[in-house]
Amino acid sequence: MSLDSETSGSARDWFFPSPSFLRSSSSQYGRRFYSNSKPHSPPSSSTRIRHRRRVKFPRTPTNDKSQLSDTENVKSSATARNNLICLSQFRFQFALVTLTIVFLLLLLRNTHLESQVTKLQGEILGLNHRLHACHKLDTLYVTSSISQDVDPWSRENFKRNLALFFSFTLLFIPLLIFKYIGFVSKSRFSDNISEQVSLNKQIAYRVDVFLSVYPYAKPLVLLVATLLLIFLGGLALFGVTTEDLAHCLWLSWTYVADSGNHASSQGIGPRLVAVSISFGGMLIFAMMLGLVSDAISEKFDSLRKGKSEVVEQNHTLILGWSDKLGSLLNQLAIANESLGGGTVAVMAERDKEEMELDIAKMEFDFKGTSVICRSGSPLILADLKKVSVSKARAIIVLAEDGNADQSDARALRTVLSLTGVKEGLRGHIVVELSDLDNEVLVKLVGGDLVETVVAHDVIGRLMIQCARQPGLAQIWEDILGFENCEFYIKRWPQLEGMQFEDVLISFPAAIPCGIKVASYGEDDDTYAPASLPTVWRGSLPKDFVYPKSPERILFCGWRRDMEDMIMVLDASLAHGSELWMFNDVPEKEREKKLTDGGLDINRLENISLVNREGNAVIRRHLESLPLESFDSILILADESVEDSAIQADSRSLATLLLIRDIQARRLPYVSMASQAHGGSFSKGSWIGEMKQASDKTVIISEILDPRTKNLISMSKISDYVLSNELVSMALAMVAEDRQINDVLEELFAEEGNEMHIRKADLYLCEGEELNFYEIMLRARQRREIVIGYRLANAERAVINPPVKTDRRKWSLKDVFVVITEKE
């Protein structure tokens, strides 16, 4: 098949439109046919090739239609806007015409009354002339007076009409301005298709900003509106009545103040004006009541939400909220009892009512101390000023429950905010940290203002001390805080030049524990040096050194600072000791965590690690351990549940009971009646069997909730370490006197001094009669300071005995509490 050039040059030679397309195209634009063959020419018989004619149809002008439709939409929208503008203009014109008609009616009424008065005056004048003609009345005076009063009356009417017109004009001017602004805005909007903000919206926005930004804007606007209403109402009354302007202004005020005062008005004009003024007065007083109600509501809401300022000084400020807050408030209340009570301000990112409700549920006596709660963030300077941070004598920053790094990072930002207070800080800052590695950074930022208490590190070291020395947990509970004995630092000039041994026996009501080079004063006056008593300095019965023997210790659970506890044990235990770690953390993950924490397992000198994986609250997992062979067992608050004190304590308590029961079943039963202070239990009594097991192995349980203490203390099957309560005690002590932190750091540091429990045979012989001063001097020969004792048949130790000069016979089963250098 051969095609001509026109046909072959086209990219689309054959086009078959659908019938619908043909019909639509033919109806609008018609059809045109193009062909290369001539019309009416028959086909060639030789080739018998039928040429098809090429049909071309004009395409549908879609672009033109879309442009037309867009133009029609623009026109319709513009028409709609024009209709709205016309409708608003019609409403405005209708209102304007109505008010104008009312004004004209009042003006015509006033003119009619004036004409009637003039007419009556003319009639009176004519009657006076008639009477004068009849010689019955001397009207000379009357006539002259009337003729003189005609002009002043006309001038008075003109003034009143002018006042009425002026009042209506002032009333309509703002309306005209607003309508004109709206008309101009809509005209500009109709001219410009692009989106823009109209002028009336801009003015409304400015007014809204003015009323929102300036606190006295609303009362000021209300006052201006009231004065304007009184002034316009007075002018209107002056125009429709015969009273003077001052009296009309007073009447206008009475109509505004009391809407019932217009009932005595006479005439249509005065009544209409009086009703209008009374209606405006009702609106103004309604707005005034709304403003007063809103102001009172905002004030009470501010008080309820804790937004008001704390006007206090020399108060203790606590920033944050945690499980330690209850114990901390209890210790602060005890510390302030001697002063008749104090003030403690608590600011946290919680609702004030919730904080007050939680504090009200705390089961202790505040002893005259008032607790003030405020809601706010310690990272915002405005909130810090709200609690008078610059006037506080101590600021305590509590660590948040949860991730240690996040908690310490927030504490660091809080210290930065505190150091940025322009007024400066009167007191010091006590920061509770969760990780020892972050202590250096916080001290670097805070400088001399900051004292840090690393809670997790302190509790870990304390648990190790208590596990190796049974009974030490109770002694620390007595020393920390303010309920029993406490540390004080004070300078005594009368002690200068004395030997430390003489200083030891110079305080009848206190025990010197050390010497500080410089101090900043102390406010405690309950102790003072006295004259030196006569004390016999004896000699030690023997120079005895405790030999170290290998120990086997079990850790149940996993703590964040496990690597620090392992390093402390490696430094204090004898060579060949074993540390068993039993928890649900996989062994490879344990090694990774210990390595990331800075522990090199291969460099441990005295202990070897034994890993066991299992759940400490499942009995069959615990039975796989040689529980009866351990010298000490530490039940740790597991890292997975330490955020919930109740859940962590429940887990620790369950582990304790399971371990004691397994130990009691594995150990042979011995009658407990012969025990010195254990009491008697019948055979088969589970508490008796567990008590026997507790005499074999020391178990230290980490307790977070103080309420769990009663359950453990009554059973007497384990010592316990109240981690949250002990940390709260330390925070309270450092808050009251920042120098105490030096003492605590000395006792808890890796090097230095620590608390020990010594047997009596180091200082005396059996049955020897000595007083407490003599024992102190004997202990000083061993470079130790005795601070208390526990008798063989007693359950608790006596710290700082009140009477130190009484002599008594001691037993070798007694023990003494001493402060000595770390071994």
Side-chain angles (χ1 to χ4, degrees):
M1 176 169 45
S2 62
L3 298 174
D4 54 4
S5 61
E6 181 181 357
T7 305
S8 61
S10 176
R12 225 176 139 184
D13 293 333
W14 310 103
F15 182 71
F16 299 97
S18 62
S20 61
F21 179 81
L22 290 175
R23 288 193 298 269
S24 63
S25 299
S26 61
S27 61
Q28 295 181 6
Y29 304 101
R31 292 182 294 172
R32 289 185 296 174
F33 299 91
Y34 298 88
S35 177
N36 293 330
S37 60
K38 296 180 180 180
H40 304 291
S41 60
S44 175
S45 59
S46 62
T47 60
R48 293 184 181 180
I49 297 177
R50 185 174 61 186
H51 293 275
R52 296 184 181 178
R53 291 179 296 178
R54 184 176 182 183
V55 182
K56 292 185 177 180
F57 295 92
R59 295 183 179 179
T60 305
T62 56
N63 295 333
D64 297 337
K65 281 188 175 182
S66 62
Q67 292 177 0
L68 291 173
S69 61
D70 293 340
T71 305
E72 291 175 359
N73 291 334
V74 171
K75 289 182 179 180
S76 61
S77 60
T79 304
R81 286 195 295 269
N82 291 332
N83 292 334
L84 292 176
I85 293 173
C86 294
L87 181 59
S88 61
Q89 290 178 355
F90 174 76
R91 292 177 179 175
F92 169 68
Q93 293 173 359
F94 178 78
L96 186 60
V97 169
T98 303
L99 294 175
T100 305
I101 292 174
V102 173
F103 174 74
L104 292 176
L105 289 176
L106 292 175
L107 192 59
L108 291 174
R109 177 65 176 174
N110 194 11
T111 305
H112 176 66
L113 292 176
E114 182 180 355
S115 61
Q116 286 184 349
V117 171
T118 304
K119 184 179 179 181
L120 290 175
Q121 288 177 353
E123 293 178 355
I124 293 173
L125 183 59
L127 292 175
N128 286 334
H129 283 295
R130 291 181 183 180
L131 292 174
H132 179 67
C134 297
H135 301 283
K136 293 184 177 180
L137 181 64
D138 186 7
T139 58
L140 180 61
Y141 176 76
V142 177
T143 302
S144 61
S145 62
I146 292 176
S147 60
Q148 293 175 359
D149 293 338
V150 171
D151 293 337
W153 176 260
S154 300
R155 289 194 299 270
E156 185 69 19
N157 287 336
F158 176 76
K159 291 180 181 179
R160 295 183 184 276
N161 293 332
L162 182 62
L164 185 62
F165 177 78
F166 183 71
S167 63
F168 274 92
T169 302
L170 290 180
L171 183 62
F172 286 134
I173 283 177
L175 299 177
L176 292 173
I177 293 175
F178 288 145
K179 290 299 180 181
Y180 178 75
I181 291 174
F183 174 75
V184 171
S185 300
K186 292 177 181 178
S187 299
R188 292 180 179 178
F189 182 77
S190 61
D191 295 338
N192 191 4
I193 303 300
S194 61
E195 184 179 357
Q196 61 180 1
V197 180
S198 59
L199 184 59
N200 56 353
K201 288 185 178 180
Q202 294 181 7
I203 295 176
Y205 170 73
R206 297 300 178 186
V207 173
D208 183 48
V209 170
F210 173 74
L211 295 178
S212 301
V213 172
Y214 299 98
Y216 299 103
K218 294 180 180 179
L220 181 61
V221 170
L222 187 62
L223 177 62
V224 172
T226 303
L227 296 177
L228 184 61
L229 178 61
I230 295 173
F231 178 71
L232 294 179
L235 288 179
L237 288 175
F238 181 72
V240 297
T241 62
T242 59
E243 303 292 341
D244 56 356
L245 182 59
H247 186 71
C248 291
L249 291 175
W250 174 253
L251 286 178
S252 178
W253 158 247
T254 58
Y255 296 159
V256 171
D258 188 359
S259 59
N261 288 335
H262 70 278
S264 60
S265 300
Q266 300 293 332
I268 298 177
R271 287 180 178 178
L272 183 60
V273 174
V275 169
S276 302
I277 297 174
S278 300
F279 182 72
M282 287 188 291
L283 292 179
I284 287 177
F285 271 87
M287 290 188 290
M288 183 182 298
L289 289 177
L291 289 178
V292 173
S293 177
D294 291 342
I296 295 175
S297 299
E298 289 178 0
K299 185 62 179 178
F300 277 101
D301 186 66
S302 175
L303 294 174
R304 181 180 62 84
K305 293 183 178 181
K307 296 181 180 180
S308 59
E309 184 178 357
V310 176
V311 186
E312 294 286 348
Q313 56 182 353
N314 292 328
H315 60 287
T316 303
L317 175 60
I318 300 177
L319 301 178
W321 189 280
S322 67
D323 295 334
K324 307 178 186 68
L325 182 64
S327 302
L328 180 58
L329 291 177
N330 186 22
Q331 294 299 320
L332 292 176
I334 297 173
N336 294 327
E337 184 180 8
S338 59
L339 303 175
T343 302
V344 179
V346 180
M347 188 178 73
E349 296 182 31
R350 298 185 61 194
D351 187 72
K352 176 176 176 288
E353 293 181 339
E354 294 180 0
M355 291 190 287
E356 291 176 345
L357 183 61
D358 292 342
I359 292 176
K361 294 179 181 178
M362 296 178 181
E363 301 175 352
F364 59 85
D365 185 13
F366 285 95
K367 305 180 186 301
T369 297
S370 58
V371 181
I372 303 173
C373 297
R374 288 294 180 268
S375 179
S377 173
L379 305 179
I380 302 175
L381 291 177
D383 291 343
L384 291 175
K385 293 180 180 179
K386 184 172 61 178
V387 290
S388 299
V389 64
S390 60
K391 300 179 182 178
R393 62 186 178 92
I395 304 169
I396 303 175
V397 181
L398 294 180
E400 291 184 342
D401 299 329
N403 185 271
D405 293 332
Q406 293 180 0
S407 175
D408 291 350
R410 184 173 180 83
L412 178 63
R413 292 195 299 268
T414 302
V415 173
L416 283 173
S417 300
L418 292 172
T419 54
V421 177
K422 295 181 179 180
E423 295 81 2
L425 300 178
R426 178 184 300 180
H428 59 284
I429 307 172
V430 184
V431 183
E432 179 195 359
L433 296 176
S434 301
D435 197 338
L436 184 63
D437 297 333
N438 301 322
E439 183 180 17
V440 178
L441 184 59
V442 173
K443 288 186 175 181
L444 179 64
V445 172
D448 296 335
L449 291 174
V450 173
E451 297 289 341
T452 58
V453 176
V454 186
H456 226 62
D457 181 71
V458 169
I459 295 303
R461 296 176 184 273
L462 187 59
M463 290 189 67
I464 292 176
Q465 292 183 17
C466 296
R468 301 186 63 237
Q469 302 182 69
L472 194 59
Q474 174 257 318
I475 296 172
W476 272 112
E477 187 177 352
D478 291 343
I479 291 178
L480 294 177
F482 302 96
E483 289 185 278
N484 299 301
C485 298
E486 51 187 303
F487 290 107
Y488 292 102
I489 299 177
K490 188 173 183 178
R491 183 176 182 274
W492 297 99
Q494 57 268 43
L495 300 179
E496 293 182 3
M498 293 179 60
Q499 297 291 329
F500 187 71
E501 292 183 357
D502 296 334
V503 174
L504 284 177
I505 58 177
S506 298
F507 293 89
I511 297 178
C513 299
I515 299 175
K516 192 176 186 301
V517 176
S519 62
Y520 300 96
E522 173 63 42
D523 59 353
D524 187 83
D525 296 328
T526 58
Y527 68 100
S531 57
L532 288 177
T534 302
V535 179
W536 175 61
R537 291 174 171 84
S539 60
L540 295 175
K542 56 182 178 179
D543 188 9
F544 183 79
V545 178
Y546 278 101
K548 284 187 176 182
S549 58
E551 299 180 35
R552 177 179 284 186
I553 299 177
L554 172 65
F555 282 178
C556 288
W558 185 269
R559 283 169 56 97
R560 295 192 309 270
D561 58 345
M562 187 69 78
E563 61 278 358
D564 295 332
M565 298 179 68
I566 293 175
M567 288 188 287
V568 171
L569 279 176
D570 184 64
S572 58
L573 295 180
H575 182 73
S577 300
E578 293 181 353
L579 174 60
W580 290 54
M581 293 189 298
F582 178 72
N583 49 70
D584 53 3
V585 180
E587 184 175 352
K588 293 184 179 180
E589 187 176 349
R590 295 183 201 176
E591 294 180 358
K592 184 178 183 303
K593 288 185 175 181
L594 294 176
T595 304
D596 294 342
L599 176 65
D600 188 358
I601 300 178
N602 299 324
R603 299 186 62 180
L604 295 177
E605 298 178 356
N606 298 324
I607 63 174
S608 59
L609 301 182
V610 180
N611 291 291
R612 291 292 186 270
E613 185 176 349
N615 195 334
V617 295
I618 298 179
R619 186 183 183 91
R620 68 176 183 273
H621 292 178
L622 290 172
E623 288 178 343
S624 64
L625 301 174
L627 297 177
E628 70 280 359
S629 64
F630 292 107
D631 298 295
S632 303
I633 299 176
L634 279 73
I635 302 177
L636 310 176
D638 199 85
E639 184 181 18
S640 60
V641 294
E642 66 178 356
D643 294 341
S644 175
I646 297 178
Q647 187 177 358
D649 289 354
S650 299
R651 185 183 180 91
S652 300
L653 187 59
T655 303
L656 171 64
L657 295 176
L658 288 174
I659 291 175
R660 284 307 191 198
D661 184 61
I662 295 173
Q663 287 179 337
R665 294 180 183 275
R666 293 179 180 179
L667 294 174
Y669 181 79
V670 180
S671 176
M672 301 293 295
S674 61
Q675 297 296 327
H677 55 82
S680 59
F681 302 94
S682 61
K683 185 175 182 179
S685 171
W686 69 274
I687 190 70
E689 295 176 356
M690 290 185 179
K691 180 65 176 62
Q692 177 185 346
S694 66
D695 294 338
K696 174 66 178 177
T697 304
V698 177
I699 296 184
I700 299 296
S701 302
E702 182 180 4
I703 301 301
L704 303 181
D705 192 347
R707 293 172 293 186
T708 313
K709 174 179 65 175
N710 299 328
L711 300 176
I712 299 179
S713 60
M714 288 188 300
S715 63
K716 301 177 183 179
I717 58 176
S718 170
D719 280 343
Y720 55 86
V721 175
L722 285 170
S723 59
N724 283 349
E725 188 169 7
L726 292 179
V727 172
S728 300
M729 292 177 179
L731 290 173
M733 292 177 67
V734 179
E736 291 297 317
D737 185 2
R738 62 181 306 180
Q739 300 177 93
I740 301 299
N741 199 26
D742 297 334
V743 180
L744 298 180
E745 289 179 352
E746 174 72 17
L747 295 176
F748 290 121
E750 295 182 4
E751 299 179 355
N753 295 276
E754 63 181 357
M755 206 88 66
H756 279 274
I757 296 179
R758 301 295 196 195
K759 292 183 179 180
D761 57 358
L762 293 175
Y763 314 103
L764 50 85
C765 299
E766 178 69 30
E768 191 173 2
E769 187 174 348
L770 300 171
N771 61 28
F772 192 76
Y773 278 142
E774 294 170 345
I775 296 176
M776 291 176 65
L777 294 180
R778 289 190 179 185
R780 188 56 193 160
Q781 299 177 27
R782 294 176 48 87
R783 302 180 63 85
E784 298 174 348
I785 299 175
V786 179
I787 63 173
Y789 62 87
R790 189 182 72 186
L791 300 179
N793 57 352
E795 295 184 0
R796 298 184 67 88
V798 178
I799 305 299
N800 185 24
V803 181
K804 301 179 177 62
T805 56
D806 292 349
R807 305 178 68 85
R808 60 174 302 163
K809 290 184 179 181
W810 300 89
S811 171
L812 295 181
K813 296 181 179 180
D814 300 334
V815 293
F816 293 95
V817 183
V818 302
I819 297 177
T820 184
E821 294 181 353
K822 287 182 172 62
E823 299 175 353

